[in-house]
Amino acid sequence: ELIIFDFCLEPTPTMNKLLSLIVTVAALAAPALSHAADPAATAEARVAAFKKMLRTFEPMGTVVRERDPYRKDAFAEQAKTLQMLAREPWPLFVPGTAVGKSRAKPEIWSQPDAFKKEQQGMIVAVDALAASAQAGDIKDIRAKYATLANTCKSCHDSFRAPQR
Ligand code: ASC
């Protein structure tokens, strides 16, 4: 007992390291665990992340199609926002979350390499659009926007189920 008390009052550097490791691992694991524990909330968050992305992507499309004037700085800012938003849905494809409004096909989880390739293609395309928007050549922007839209379609063709 004395030994135990001694141990409690005088944490050694090794114990402190161990404790901080445990806290770190728990903090990192918590979001993944909560998604696993609540598939409906995860699916909802994922659908919302795609919708948020569209709320930037669509007005950019209006400019690209010349329905709205092209303004370099505003467009570059939207592209930057899109770059950030484009990274949000992917960690939310947690196994067991094809529920509710989700149109996620089982192939997302049975063909993870092919699904990962689609994600990477999309990220490359959104980064290229942002770089182009920074440069400000509308003809190039138009091409990069089309390439990005094609990555949406490509992934949907393989991995998104028809509307239910
Ligand atoms: C969009 C949207 C998609 C893609 C795709 C492009 O605006 O919602 O899924 O572009 O239609 O082919």
Side-chain angles (χ1 to χ4, degrees):
E1 251 185 26
L2 265 178
I3 290 166
I4 291 167
F5 277 112
D6 198 36
F7 192 62
C8 291
L9 293 169
E10 300 282 346
T12 65
T14 304
M15 288 167 59
N16 281 331
K17 273 186 201 158
L18 188 64
L19 187 64
S20 78
L21 182 68
I22 290 166
V23 169
T24 303
V25 168
L28 291 173
L33 284 176
S34 70
H35 287 312
D38 194 347
T42 303
E44 211 173 293
R46 193 172 61 224
V47 170
F50 281 114
K51 280 189 180 157
K52 201 160 74 174
M53 210 156 65
L54 265 190
R55 284 199 290 271
T56 299
F57 190 61
E58 280 180 341
M60 292 172 78
T62 310
V63 171
V64 158
R65 285 185 289 272
E66 299 183 336
R67 297 282 183 269
D68 264 331
Y70 169 61
R71 293 190 186 90
K72 183 182 171 183
D73 290 349
F75 193 91
E77 206 50 50
Q78 286 177 305
K80 227 192 246 182
T81 300
L82 192 65
Q83 248 184 318
M84 185 186 71
L85 297 179
R87 285 159 165 86
E88 290 184 4
W90 317 113
L92 298 172
F93 280 96
V94 177
T97 61
V99 298
K101 281 186 200 154
S102 174
R103 291 163 68 185
K105 283 167 82 170
E107 284 79 0
I108 287 168
W109 296 284
S110 64
Q111 299 169 18
D113 294 348
F115 185 59
K116 188 79 197 174
K117 236 182 217 161
E118 295 288 354
Q119 293 174 35
Q120 285 165 343
M122 189 261 210
I123 295 299
V124 167
V126 75
D127 289 351
L129 175 59
S132 180
Q134 204 67 40
D137 173 352
I138 185 63
K139 275 188 76 176
D140 186 63
I141 287 170
R142 198 165 284 132
K144 298 297 195 292
Y145 184 94
T147 300
L148 176 57
N150 286 337
T151 71
C152 304
K153 179 171 172 18
S154 170
C155 190
H156 292 161
D157 287 350
S158 300
F159 295 108
R160 184 173 67 166
Q163 204 117 36
R164 291 190 280 181

